[in-house]
Amino acid sequence: MKLKVLFIFCTAFMSSCSLDEDPLSLITPDEFFHEDRDAQSSIDAIYTYINGGASIYARYFWLVNAMASDLGRYRGTDPDLAEFASMSVTPQNSILLEIWQGLYAGINAANFAIENIPSVPISDMEKDVFIAEARFLRAIFYFDLMRLFGGVPLLEQANTVVGSQYLAERKSLEETAQFVELEFTHAFENLPESNSPGRPVGLTAAAYLSRFYLTRGEFNKAFQASRAVIQSGRWSLASDYAMIFSGQPQNKSEELFSISIDLNGANPVNAFTLPLGVDGLGHILPTSFYVDGFEFLDRRRQVSFFTSYISDEGVELEVEPHVGKYWQSDLQPIGSPSAIDIPIFRFSDLLLLHCEAINELRNGTNAEALQAINMVRARARFNGVSNEEVLPDLTRMGKEEFKDAILQERSKELGWEGHRWFDLVRTGRLKETVEKAKPDVVVEDKYNVFPIPQREFTLNPNLGSQNPGY
Amino acid sequence: MLVRHSKYLTVATIFILVAVVYPRVVYGQQETMDTLLGKAEYINSLQLGYLEVPTGHNRGAISKIEVKDVVTTFDEALKGNAAGVSVIQSSGQPSGTHMIQVRGIHTMAGGNEPLYVVDGFPIYNNNDLASSGFSFGPTLNALTFLNPGDIESMYVLKDVGEASLYGGRATNGVVIINTKEGSSSDRITLSSAIGVQQPIGRFDLASASQYGAFMNTARTNAGLSPLYNSPGALGEGTDWQDQIYRDQPLSQDYRVSFNGGGEAVHFMLSGSYSGRQGLIKGSDFDRYVLHANVRACVNERTELVNSLNFARVDAHTVPTDVSGDLGTGGVISSALSFSPLIRNRNELGRLIPFHFQVDDQGGATSRLQSDLPIPNPLGLAQNTDSRYSTSRITDFLSLKYRLAKNLNLSASTGLDAIFNEETTFLPGALQYNVNLGGVGTAGKIQSYNWISQLLVDYSKKISDVHILDVFAGMSTEGVSREFLGGTSTGFESEALRFYSLAVGKNRNVVSDNAKWNMNSFFGRVNLTMYEKYSLAFTGRSDASSRFGGNYEFFPAGSFTWFASKESFIKNSELISDLTLRMGYGISGNMEIPPYTAFTVLNELTAPLHGVAVSGITLDKIGNPSQEMERTRQLHFGVDVGFLDARLGVSLDMYSNQTQNALVNTSLPGTSGFQTALVNGGGIKNAGVEMTLTSRNIEGVFGWTTQLAFGYNQNEITDLPLGATVVYGPAIMGIDNWSIFSIGESIGSFYGLTSDGLAIAGDQSPSFAGQTLRVGEQKYKDLNDDGIINAADKTIIGTSMPDVNIGLYNSFSYGALRLSFLFQGLLGRDVANLNKLIYNDPTGQVNVSSSFSSASDPNLPAPNAENDRKVFSDVLVEDGSFVRLQNISLAYDFSNHLFKNSPLEKFEVFVSGQNLLTFSGYDGPDPDVSHFGQQVIGQGVDFDSYPKSKSVLVGLNVHF
């Protein structure tokens, strides 16, 4: 009898406590992808790996491209930055590590959306559009990994728990490229014809395909893609080059894709490029080679550099040329952080890519190419009020001459926007250009890619081999 | 390691002295003493949580602690009183937290505090349950809820012998606390104490004229023109340390208790108040505690025991923490930094809000440096308003029922409810960015800690010489915590401060909720044979929701041989007691926050075309296979009592191997994440302990001594692939100063090694792109690559103490009693990051007077441009110390003055706390730890609230 009471007591007592964990104030995967809006939400999260001042795109793409090229020089003491400026990059470089980690974190977010959107209760058509958007963004991440590091591990499943699934092997450059092509093509075919501002449409993916095919040396495909974008008439050049960097969202007629920066300002460029007196570090300056390459009255020179500024005591101070592309000194006397977006893909970029494709196909200019490049030059003559007598229209040229002209135009048009190292590698002009701009720097052949971060080899035994030379 | 710490030798010498003096003592008349360890412990049974362990039973290493001193929290009483227990104070603010290490550190990512069992109620000291973190300064000690005056006895269970009954929470040791109970005869106790305090140490800082001269030199050495024509004329200037400290801060303690009851009911009721004015203006602490213990015999089979405690703590805190609260500065670092050339107030009587460089005319030389604004220390202390208040109700009720002869059943239930509220206001005047204005915050926490348990014990004499004791139990318990907090900025009017956060334009609300619970089964079988041998097996199975609800089993076995019962010793005059103990078992540690195993999504926001867009995606990778940390423990011990237990010596040896310690491990970038918490670390703690208790002289004049000594060696034996090894939150631009490394101790400091000062034309290696200035600190290029960088870092010290020591002596003559306690930690290093301020060569901030007078040839030359901050062995110092923790003189007047009154005791005492410290440490006090109870970051001294040195007078009356 007593034992029976005891037994009942014990049973009642122990069954009262469940050991299931329910984290009420944390969102777990079980609680997501149940409602319509979760699909949109999972897509929007991927953008945070591109947009905002803390993203690796805002922090590093302009920086690496400016430092590891003829555009910029470095006079600070940060060893990671110095490695790019002096072309002595090591696998220990922490900037490359952050880029690698940031891009794969974006890929994981995209994979998570792609994998789970099919279970959200929305129409199949809506699902297709969302998935196309995620695949487009994932394609950008893989494309940039490919351009920076060569062939990389291709992860198409989201990692949610620790395990071995992410200890993946490096794919060859060809396999990686095939994947990127497939993804951009899918996005081109499935993204909508129109979308809300800042988001891609089918033609945005076409523009990327043009950039991708040029990188791969598939010039006809590149030409077809860029031509489709131009002929759509969807984008046009802003009338004044300065408008692009005015921070006004309405001046975005030529924006295909951008790193959006919040209005409070979080663009980190000025922290490096502005002088100390206006809250920069003054560590990253343009090379004189780059500055001298501009004609004096080129509008892009005025926008890209400044040589004097008003100190906070109200005194005008003369300085050597500093990068001022993301600084509106009148609106924002203290320059850092800036609120100006950093473009990733502008229409002028696409026009020049179009020229590049034509040049390769035609071994020189044709009317279409000249028209495209002269549009870009003509716009740069406008000083805000009238046109200056500079930058005459280009005329018929041979292949090598035109190639140089396009590259030079790109460097002036797209400086500090994260293209230069990619451009020089793509066109095979890295070594000669950088060594001309920085006489004390020797560029080894290996710099067509950067080293994969050493940390990855330490933590992933399956990764494979390092890029040659590193 | 030991030999270089001279203080250890000092204490060892004292010990030898005691040992030598001992035999000469003339044995006096014996009288029972209600003291200390010694004989009493062997006679009485020990109430150890679940168990009442009678004499002649198996037991492991247990330290008994008596609260001998006026302390605010009972964990303070562990200082110097238990061999193998190191107590490091994180801050000296009233009721600051302690880091308690029982036989070292057994974890790299979890909690390392012992489990407290208060009147049977197991409570882990998690300060997060009692603090929303919305007040300035370090977290207050959650253990403050119990008045140490209500404690009857404390035992520290250090090995698997008894602690393993707490299975998954036994690794860090278990502290059993029994509060005072009632008695059949009535007794009233009154006690009070009042005291004054002062800082245990101060920085010796430069005066205005010294600082002026220093700045001139710093500028001249950098090729700039000197600032002051005659720095000697600048005088003393403002002593900012004088400004922040109170003149004579008071401490007060009052307690009244009533014990009583009849045959059937015993009770103890007590009420107490403790008040502390903080050393720093603006800080104080008040505590009210009501405690009630009732024990009632309902009938001959049934007994009811209830222990109820209610505590209310109200405190004002000040921001002492540079890296946390304000991001700008704390009171101490500001007092160190602030220029003595600045007067306290300007002509209008307003506080000067920020430090600036003063020119020859008393004006500012330049715009303030926005990257390091240093707020006025007095402003921070006086004009910020930060409050902490917590109410805590703890009740534990047990019903004991005798089912049959030798078979008892006990059912208990307990609830520990904590209601915390914290508020702060930082006025806009102290905000460097004038656009931000004042900041008001308020946060609330409600935590519940509950338990139900059922115990059965059975005792049977199997034969004439075999006694079997069986004990089994089960329990279910849990913790829930709910938090709500808000921050408001942009106050149009600051009059209402945090009372109406709605006045601020920008408001931000946060909340969260956490819960965990656990089911356990446990038991113990003890077989005693011939009264000489005792064999015990203990096991506990815990299933915690924090580890997926899987049952983990923690077995232990122990054997005790009461050798003095053997015939060959039995009649020895010399040896009155000889007991050998040994045990082996597995214990666990489960102190990680809940939900770490989960994959977690989070909202991320970024602008898209000028509009903020939020999305939800993966934020933290899950690890469903996380398991409790398991430690294999092996121990041997011997207790020897000489001369009828007048001298008692206990020696213990142990070796504890933690096998699957949780470690933050790096993940490859391809995972999309950077780190995850995984099992796979190994940690070894091994050491020896000795406790010596001696009644040196007995009689009218009495002298007793107690010595506690513990030596522990900690070593990391294993780290999983990719374990993140370098840690250290940024302080003053320095980070990654701590390392986990196989073969080294936890808490190893990691930095550069100094290599003298640069001379003119010095071509020694330096930092990339830097040329050495004359008199600049040089560092060793350990990898010989010609450049000084992170690759030249090495282990330059360890914060874990090798030795903890305590020496207590009590002398009595009639009704007069004198006692003192020395305690110390030896063989440890402290990173004195205050040196980054007071030995800053730039002259941007004030410096120590020794630096300003250039008296130390090892210090770098002042140079206005030498602003590099480096973590090196220059900052890491020997933090060993021995301290006169307490000295007390008491006289009991009851026999003399009030002969015919009912007074049992009328004791007047005067005592001093922390009056003497022996240490070579350069800062004011080596007994600090900036990061509180965090395992990583212990032993860092930065901006710490100083401990107080105090003198108390008090009265204890019993009638």
Side-chain angles (χ1 to χ4, degrees):
Chain A
M1 163 58 194
K2 273 168 194 161
L3 284 174
K4 204 168 160 189
V5 171
L6 179 63
F7 179 76
I8 292 167
F9 186 85
C10 294
T11 318
F13 173 85
M14 294 314 291
S15 58
S16 63
C17 180
S18 151
L19 295 174
D20 291 338
E21 272 200 303
D22 184 14
L24 296 174
S25 53
L26 298 173
I27 313 168
T28 57
D30 294 348
E31 287 153 353
F32 200 56
F33 293 115
H34 295 319
E35 292 179 48
D36 304 8
R37 63 172 182 199
D38 292 348
Q40 180 76 58
S41 186
S42 69
I43 297 294
D44 290 349
I46 311 169
Y47 283 93
T48 61
Y49 293 95
I50 296 173
N51 294 328
S55 74
I56 51 130
Y57 277 89
R59 282 157 66 205
Y60 296 134
F61 271 67
W62 66 273
L63 189 81
V64 168
N65 275 284
M67 289 290 93
S69 71
D70 56 330
L71 300 194
R73 64 195 165 95
Y74 184 58
R75 59 175 189 189
T77 55
D78 184 311
D80 294 310
L81 280 172
E83 283 185 7
F84 288 107
S86 59
M87 285 301 205
S88 55
V89 183
T90 64
Q92 280 76 27
N93 190 289
S94 72
I95 291 174
L96 287 177
L97 175 62
E98 282 190 59
I99 291 175
W100 176 278
Q101 289 172 330
L103 290 173
Y104 273 107
I107 288 165
N108 204 38
N111 286 339
F112 188 58
I114 294 164
E115 215 168 287
N116 290 291
I117 283 174
S119 67
V120 178
I122 49 176
S123 73
D124 285 353
M125 225 175 73
E126 286 173 296
K127 285 179 191 174
D128 288 347
V129 172
F130 280 130
I131 289 173
E133 195 170 347
R135 287 176 71 170
F136 169 75
L137 295 170
R138 184 172 72 176
I140 293 179
F141 299 140
Y142 272 121
F143 180 42
D144 286 331
L145 278 169
M146 180 193 109
R147 291 198 293 172
L148 288 164
F149 301 105
V152 295
L154 294 176
L155 285 114
E156 296 179 61
Q157 302 290 317
N159 301 309
T160 55
V161 294
V162 291
S164 58
Q165 68 277 12
Y166 42 74
L167 304 179
E169 189 194 358
R170 254 188 106 170
K171 298 289 182 196
S172 69
L173 182 61
E174 279 62 42
E175 285 170 292
T176 310
Q178 270 170 23
F179 181 71
V180 172
E181 180 183 8
L182 179 79
E183 294 301 292
F184 274 135
T185 309
H186 178 273
F188 172 57
E189 286 160 1
N190 291 278
L191 279 170
E193 277 183 25
S194 68
N195 209 335
S196 52
R199 292 178 194 271
V201 292
L203 286 167
T204 322
Y208 263 98
L209 276 170
S210 157
R211 194 185 264 181
F212 168 79
Y213 285 129
L214 267 185
T215 307
R216 296 291 299 155
E218 296 181 54
F219 301 114
N220 191 37
K221 285 181 178 170
F223 169 76
Q224 298 297 342
S226 52
R227 184 182 235 186
V229 178
I230 293 167
Q231 286 183 346
S232 75
R234 195 183 173 91
W235 290 279
S236 61
L237 293 182
S239 57
D240 182 356
Y241 187 77
M243 276 166 68
I244 307 164
F245 302 98
S246 67
Q248 303 303 313
Q250 64 269 29
N251 298 331
K252 296 218 163 183
S253 63
E254 70 174 279
E255 171 191 300
L256 279 88
F257 213 62
S258 271
I259 304 168
S260 249
I261 301 292
D262 23 340
L263 301 176
N264 299 331
N267 176 334
V269 182
N270 289 351
F272 293 91
T273 56
L274 296 194
L276 274 172
V278 280
D279 281 2
L281 292 168
H283 283 167
I284 292 181
L285 298 176
T287 61
S288 53
F289 174 86
Y290 180 49
V291 178
D292 295 345
F294 284 84
E295 288 177 63
F296 190 75
L297 291 173
D298 189 330
R299 179 63 158 173
R300 297 170 301 195
R301 184 184 201 277
Q302 298 165 18
V303 172
S304 298
F305 312 114
F306 64 93
T307 51
S308 71
Y309 69 99
I310 313 286
S311 78
D312 56 343
E313 276 98 25
V315 187
E316 182 161 357
L317 298 173
E318 297 274 330
V319 286
E320 56 187 315
H322 279 61
V323 179
K325 208 164 189 174
Y326 302 104
W327 187 32
Q328 288 186 294
S329 54
D330 45 343
L331 297 178
Q332 223 187 344
I334 296 295
S336 179
S338 153
I340 297 169
D341 289 357
I342 306 171
I344 301 182
F345 215 145
R346 289 198 281 116
F347 188 54
S348 58
D349 184 355
L350 184 97
L351 288 173
L352 294 171
L353 292 177
H354 191 56
C355 295
E356 211 172 305
I358 294 172
N359 191 33
E360 294 292 338
L361 293 170
R362 296 294 182 99
N363 289 320
T365 55
N366 69 2
E368 194 175 339
L370 285 173
Q371 189 197 358
I373 196 167
N374 286 331
M375 275 167 76
V376 175
R377 288 170 70 84
R379 191 261 302 270
R381 286 176 213 141
F382 183 68
N383 67 9
V385 183
S386 58
N387 283 334
E388 301 282 359
E389 293 286 321
V390 283
L391 298 163
D393 277 355
L394 296 184
T395 52
R396 209 184 139 105
M397 288 181 196
K399 183 177 177 183
E400 286 307 304
E401 199 188 348
F402 193 39
K403 191 171 177 180
D404 285 339
I406 297 167
L407 252 186
Q408 232 202 350
E409 209 60 54
R410 287 184 69 84
S411 91
K412 295 177 197 167
E413 178 72 22
L414 303 166
W416 266 262
E417 294 176 34
H419 300 293
R420 189 59 177 168
W421 178 79
F422 293 132
D423 286 350
L424 291 174
V425 168
R426 184 179 67 238
T427 54
R429 297 284 164 88
L430 182 72
K431 184 175 167 67
E432 57 174 275
T433 315
V434 174
E435 288 179 356
K436 217 182 284 171
K438 301 174 180 172
D440 53 337
V441 171
V442 178
V443 182
E444 293 172 58
D445 292 340
K446 64 185 182 185
Y447 281 100
N448 58 345
V449 281
F450 289 117
I452 289 180
Q454 187 57 41
R455 185 181 185 270
E456 294 303 300
F457 291 101
T458 313
L459 298 172
N460 176 2
N462 307 328
L463 186 57
S465 55
Q466 179 58 279
N467 288 328
Y470 290 104
Chain B
M1 198 70 191
L2 270 172
V3 179
R4 75 184 167 89
H5 299 289
S6 55
K7 271 111 237 151
Y8 160 64
L9 293 174
T10 318
V11 178
T13 316
I14 295 171
F15 165 60
I16 292 161
L17 249 152
V18 169
V20 172
V21 164
Y22 184 81
R24 294 191 212 142
V25 172
V26 181
Y27 302 144
Q29 189 193 346
Q30 296 213 5
E31 75 185 47
T32 20
M33 298 185 66
D34 63 332
T35 52
L36 301 181
L37 270 155
K39 198 170 182 177
E41 192 182 325
Y42 299 106
I43 294 166
N44 299 331
S45 65
L46 309 181
Q47 186 62 50
L48 303 178
Y50 302 124
L51 287 176
E52 195 166 330
V53 180
T55 320
H57 255 215
N58 195 311
R59 60 176 202 85
I62 298 170
S63 291
K64 183 182 179 185
I65 312 293
E66 291 209 358
V67 184
K68 300 173 187 130
D69 186 16
V70 179
V71 288
T72 315
T73 54
F74 60 83
D75 53 346
E76 226 173 314
L78 295 171
K79 273 192 174 179
N81 279 321
V85 180
S86 298
V87 180
I88 297 161
Q89 193 153 348
S90 68
S91 114
Q93 77 173 320
S95 188
T97 53
H98 300 92
M99 181 182 200
I100 312 242
Q101 299 172 6
V102 178
R103 292 187 169 175
I105 293 183
H106 311 87
T107 183
M108 292 186 260
N112 194 59
E113 297 295 302
L115 179 72
Y116 295 96
V117 180
V118 181
D119 287 337
F121 195 161
I123 292 169
Y124 184 77
N125 179 25
N126 181 352
N127 288 319
D128 289 346
L129 294 179
S131 172
S132 54
F134 272 57
S135 59
F136 285 142
T139 315
L140 265 69
N141 191 345
L143 298 177
T144 193
F145 73 98
L146 207 60
N147 184 335
D150 289 329
I151 294 175
E152 175 71 36
S153 57
M154 264 165 82
Y155 302 95
V156 186
L157 314 183
K158 294 183 287 194
D159 61 35
V160 285
E162 280 74 29
S164 54
L165 273 175
Y166 294 91
R169 291 179 292 178
T171 298
N172 300 332
V174 177
V175 179
I176 305 285
I177 294 162
N178 301 316
T179 58
K180 289 176 178 159
E181 291 205 5
S183 53
S184 49
S185 58
D186 297 350
R187 180 197 251 188
I188 290 174
T189 309
L190 300 171
S191 50
S192 67
I194 186 157
V196 289
Q197 317 164 66
Q198 59 167 298
I200 196 161
R202 281 193 183 205
F203 296 96
D204 184 14
L205 297 179
S207 66
S209 56
Q210 287 174 314
Y211 179 50
F214 182 87
M215 279 207 282
N216 277 355
T217 319
R219 290 177 61 89
T220 315
N221 288 348
L224 302 166
S225 57
L227 269 178
Y228 309 102
N229 293 327
S230 51
L234 296 167
E236 280 299 307
T238 310
D239 182 336
W240 289 99
Q241 293 188 95
D242 275 353
Q243 296 286 330
I244 60 168
Y245 291 128
R246 284 189 218 261
D247 272 346
Q248 294 288 340
L250 285 182
S251 74
Q252 304 172 68
D253 287 278
Y254 305 100
R255 178 174 177 273
V256 55
S257 74
F258 180 65
N259 292 32
E263 281 303 305
V265 180
H266 293 177
F267 60 87
M268 192 285 279
L269 300 174
S270 86
S272 62
Y273 163 74
S274 303
R276 304 268 182 278
Q277 285 184 320
L279 296 171
I280 297 177
K281 291 171 182 169
S283 62
D284 59 31
F285 167 85
D286 289 291
R287 176 184 61 193
Y288 309 86
V289 182
L290 296 173
H291 191 87
N293 280 352
V294 178
R295 182 183 289 270
C297 295
V298 179
N299 56 41
E300 59 183 12
R301 282 179 178 274
T302 318
E303 188 186 42
L304 200 71
V305 183
N306 190 62
S307 161
L308 172 68
N309 192 81
F310 173 81
R312 166 80 182 180
V313 171
D314 287 301
H316 287 89
T317 61
V318 290
T320 52
D321 196 340
V322 87
S323 55
D325 305 323
L326 301 174
T328 54
V331 178
I332 302 290
S333 67
S334 278
L336 280 178
S337 311
F338 233 68
S339 168
L341 293 160
I342 301 173
R343 280 173 304 141
N344 191 1
R345 290 171 189 279
N346 66 14
E347 330 43 90
L348 299 171
R350 297 222 174 95
L351 274 180
I352 307 286
F354 292 96
H355 168 78
F356 57 88
Q357 205 172 65
V358 180
D359 67 18
D360 217 4
Q361 275 76 46
T365 53
S366 64
R367 194 163 88 89
L368 297 172
Q369 273 201 302
S370 61
D371 55 337
L372 189 68
I374 301 165
N376 186 313
L378 182 63
L380 282 180
Q382 259 181 350
N383 299 359
T384 59
D385 189 348
S386 168
R387 302 178 190 191
Y388 167 101
S389 57
T390 296
S391 303
R392 186 164 185 170
I393 305 165
T394 314
D395 188 79
F396 194 69
L397 173 73
S398 301
L399 184 76
K400 295 179 180 168
Y401 185 71
R402 189 157 56 84
L403 279 167
K405 187 174 177 244
N406 299 333
L407 181 64
N408 297 304
L409 180 71
S410 159
S412 315
T413 174
L415 179 72
D416 177 24
I418 307 172
F419 306 91
N420 162 265
E421 190 178 332
E422 294 176 31
T423 50
T424 59
F425 193 78
L426 175 74
L430 287 167
Q431 187 78 265
Y432 182 74
N433 183 343
V434 285
N435 298 328
L436 286 178
V439 182
T441 65
K444 287 176 196 245
I445 287 248
Q446 283 188 20
S447 303
Y448 299 95
N449 186 352
W450 54 269
I451 184 168
S452 289
Q453 69 183 28
L454 192 64
L455 314 175
V456 184
D457 66 77
Y458 176 71
S459 174
K460 169 115 179 132
K461 206 166 181 181
I462 308 171
S463 71
D464 284 353
V465 290
H466 291 90
I467 303 167
L468 181 71
D469 292 280
V470 181
F471 156 82
M474 56 188 183
S475 68
T476 175
E477 59 198 288
V479 169
S480 81
R481 172 189 187 269
E482 282 172 27
F483 158 71
L484 173 67
T487 303
S488 192
T489 58
F491 285 84
E492 205 54 46
S493 155
E494 298 193 347
L496 301 182
R497 291 171 293 162
F498 42 72
Y499 290 114
S500 178
L501 293 181
V503 175
K505 281 189 286 291
N506 316 308
R507 299 182 287 266
N508 194 10
V509 179
V510 280
S511 68
D512 71 38
N513 179 301
K515 246 181 212 168
W516 64 263
N517 45 40
M518 177 167 86
N519 290 343
S520 311
F521 297 91
F522 42 89
R524 179 175 165 111
V525 178
N526 192 108
L527 180 65
T528 309
M529 291 161 284
Y530 304 101
E531 297 187 322
K532 290 177 202 162
Y533 315 107
S534 180
L535 190 62
F537 294 98
T538 307
R540 179 166 178 135
S541 195
D542 283 322
S544 167
S545 64
R546 284 183 282 183
F547 294 90
N550 303 317
Y551 279 94
E552 286 264 8
F553 185 58
F554 300 97
S558 53
F559 175 70
T560 306
W561 178 34
F562 299 97
S564 48
K565 299 259 169 73
E566 301 284 358
S567 52
F568 55 90
I569 303 181
K570 213 170 188 172
N571 298 319
S572 162
E573 296 247 319
L574 182 66
I575 296 173
S576 52
D577 177 36
L578 180 64
T579 308
L580 283 86
R581 305 175 262 111
M582 60 180 296
Y584 177 80
I586 294 170
S587 63
N589 182 20
M590 58 171 80
E591 288 313 324
I592 57 168
Y595 316 132
T596 57
F598 276 83
T599 305
V600 176
L601 311 184
N602 204 1
E603 184 178 318
L604 300 173
T605 303
L608 185 63
H609 205 76
V611 181
V613 171
S614 298
I616 289 173
T617 191
L618 294 162
D619 184 48
K620 199 180 77 56
I621 194 163
N623 179 13
S625 58
Q626 264 172 26
E627 48 184 52
M628 292 180 206
E629 298 176 323
R630 294 167 75 83
T631 300
R632 278 190 288 130
Q633 302 201 8
L634 176 66
H635 66 92
F636 296 97
V638 56
D639 303 317
V640 195
F642 296 98
L643 302 168
D644 204 13
R646 280 194 51 201
L647 175 66
V649 180
S650 291
L651 285 169
D652 282 283
M653 283 188 330
Y654 59 88
S655 175
N656 299 343
Q657 176 70 48
T658 307
Q659 283 158 314
N660 57 345
L662 287 161
V663 181
N664 278 303
T665 304
S666 300
L667 299 179
T670 44
S671 67
F673 301 93
Q674 304 212 356
T675 60
L677 191 61
V678 302
N679 294 96
I683 304 161
K684 186 175 181 186
N685 285 281
V688 292
E689 287 161 7
M690 184 181 72
T691 306
L692 181 145
T693 58
S694 166
R695 287 174 280 144
N696 304 322
I697 305 176
E698 297 178 316
V700 178
F701 176 70
W703 175 24
T704 58
T705 300
Q706 181 188 347
L707 177 76
F709 168 90
Y711 169 80
N712 183 71
Q713 202 62 52
N714 176 279
E715 185 189 329
I716 296 173
T717 55
D718 199 8
L719 288 169
L721 171 74
T724 313
V725 293
V726 185
Y727 295 89
I731 299 183
M732 306 270 303
I734 282 174
D735 59 6
N736 288 342
W737 37 260
S738 182
I739 190 170
F740 287 155
S741 174
I742 291 177
E744 300 289 339
S745 161
I746 289 176
S748 293
F749 292 120
Y750 187 61
L752 296 175
T753 24
S754 57
D755 193 19
L757 303 178
I759 52 169
D762 206 322
Q763 293 301 309
S764 307
S766 180
F767 298 94
Q770 296 274 298
T771 44
L772 284 164
R773 304 175 183 90
V774 175
E776 187 172 344
Q777 185 69 57
K778 293 194 294 181
Y779 301 97
K780 287 190 182 136
D781 181 21
L782 293 185
N783 65 352
D784 283 325
D785 63 352
I787 200 155
I788 305 292
N789 55 23
D792 298 308
K793 284 182 164 185
T794 186
I795 290 175
I796 53 176
T798 172
S799 57
M800 267 196 74
D802 291 329
V803 169
N804 68 80
I805 196 152
L807 176 67
Y808 176 76
N809 271 289
S810 172
F811 305 90
S812 60
Y813 182 78
L816 186 68
R817 190 163 53 84
L818 172 71
S819 63
F820 59 86
L821 171 66
F822 281 98
Q823 68 102 5
L825 296 173
L826 310 176
R828 71 189 279 257
D829 296 303
V830 171
N832 182 2
L833 301 191
N834 298 307
K835 277 187 172 171
L836 293 172
I837 302 175
Y838 71 68
N839 284 347
D840 180 344
T842 62
Q844 297 241 355
V845 294
N846 197 14
V847 293
S848 68
S849 73
S850 61
F851 191 25
S852 72
S853 61
S855 55
D856 185 346
N858 297 319
L859 289 174
N863 190 312
E865 286 180 347
N866 183 9
D867 60 354
R868 186 180 288 276
K869 303 256 192 276
V870 175
F871 188 72
S872 75
D873 57 358
V874 171
L875 302 176
V876 177
E877 297 182 45
D878 185 347
S880 303
F881 68 92
V882 171
R883 165 166 295 158
L884 177 58
Q885 165 104 345
N886 175 264
I887 179 162
S888 143
L889 182 68
Y891 190 83
D892 186 353
F893 290 92
S894 57
N895 290 334
H896 300 80
L897 296 178
F898 312 97
K899 256 179 189 149
N900 297 318
S901 74
L903 281 179
E904 264 178 57
K905 189 177 193 181
F906 191 93
E907 184 184 69
V908 178
F909 69 89
V910 52
S911 78
Q913 275 70 34
N914 303 330
L915 295 185
L916 288 170
T917 304
F918 307 96
S919 171
Y921 185 64
D922 196 41
D925 183 9
D927 184 15
V928 290
S929 197
H930 178 82
F931 292 98
Q933 295 175 335
Q934 290 175 36
V935 168
I936 299 159
Q938 52 165 329
V940 169
D941 181 11
F942 184 65
D943 209 2
S944 305
Y945 195 120
K947 234 187 308 310
S948 59
K949 201 188 256 191
S950 60
V951 176
L952 299 170
V953 290
L955 179 69
N956 289 319
V957 185
H958 298 185
F959 54 88

